[in-house]
Amino acid sequence: IIFLVYGESIMYIKTDEILERIKLITMLEATELVKQIEDCFQVSADKITVVNHIPIVDNKKIDPPEPKTIFDIVLEEFPANKKITFIKEIRSLNLFGSLQETKKVIDNLPQVIKSNVNTQEGEQMKQKLEELGAIVSLK
């Protein structure tokens, strides 16, 4: 490559000559040249376009989520002075098999005390336990 220096800029004579010659060839010859360059240098002249998918949200077409109908009853807290009362109440609801198991649940709160209950049953149990001073949630 031959180059000339003009002050701070460098002009490459060979690349300028190549560019001038390319301007004189036909489109068919230019297409063939591109193919040869791609093959020789194992490159591609294909344009790469990156498009991020932007979802279009139509608020009219989104159905509201169906209300939850099955819950777990979670005993969060109860008054410490009513521990025996809570053990008896939970046992009377037949939630656990043994007294030991019931006591273990009461001692390690928060705990799911009943799973997969419908809304009505869940609300009834929650109300009973809250009347005794407990903090209960349906999840």
Side-chain angles (χ1 to χ4, degrees):
I1 295 177
I2 302 170
F3 60 90
L4 299 172
V5 178
Y6 294 105
E8 294 292 319
S9 64
I10 297 175
M11 184 176 100
Y12 293 93
I13 294 175
K14 192 160 193 161
T15 55
D16 286 343
E17 287 176 10
I18 293 170
L19 182 61
E20 289 303 317
R21 286 191 178 185
I22 290 175
K23 289 180 184 178
L24 301 174
I25 64 176
T26 66
M27 288 303 292
L28 184 59
E29 292 169 328
T31 302
E32 183 59 35
L33 176 63
V34 169
K35 287 180 188 175
Q36 288 176 352
I37 291 171
E38 287 177 333
D39 291 342
C40 180
F41 297 105
Q42 298 178 354
V43 294
S44 174
D46 292 340
K47 184 176 180 182
I48 298 174
T49 304
V50 178
V51 178
N52 290 335
H53 175 71
I54 300 172
I56 298 173
V57 178
D58 185 359
N59 291 335
K60 295 175 188 171
K61 292 185 179 182
I62 297 176
D63 295 328
E66 293 184 27
K68 191 171 178 179
T69 57
I70 302 295
F71 298 93
D72 291 339
I73 301 171
V74 180
L75 179 60
E76 305 280 344
E77 292 179 32
F78 65 90
N81 62 344
K82 293 188 177 182
K83 182 175 183 177
I84 294 172
T85 305
F86 273 91
I87 291 173
K88 287 179 182 178
E89 183 63 32
I90 290 173
R91 291 277 295 142
S92 73
L93 296 171
N94 293 320
L95 300 178
F96 299 99
S98 69
L99 181 62
Q100 298 260 346
E101 190 177 0
T102 304
K103 187 177 179 306
K104 186 184 278 186
V105 168
I106 294 290
D107 289 339
N108 296 301
L109 297 182
Q111 287 285 331
V112 174
I113 57 173
K114 189 160 186 186
S115 296
N116 300 319
V117 296
N118 64 34
T119 307
Q120 183 180 3
E121 182 183 2
E123 287 296 334
Q124 287 173 352
M125 291 180 80
K126 180 180 177 189
Q127 185 178 5
K128 265 186 189 181
L129 295 171
E130 285 178 340
E131 286 172 1
L132 297 172
I135 297 175
V136 180
S137 61
L138 299 178
K139 294 184 179 182

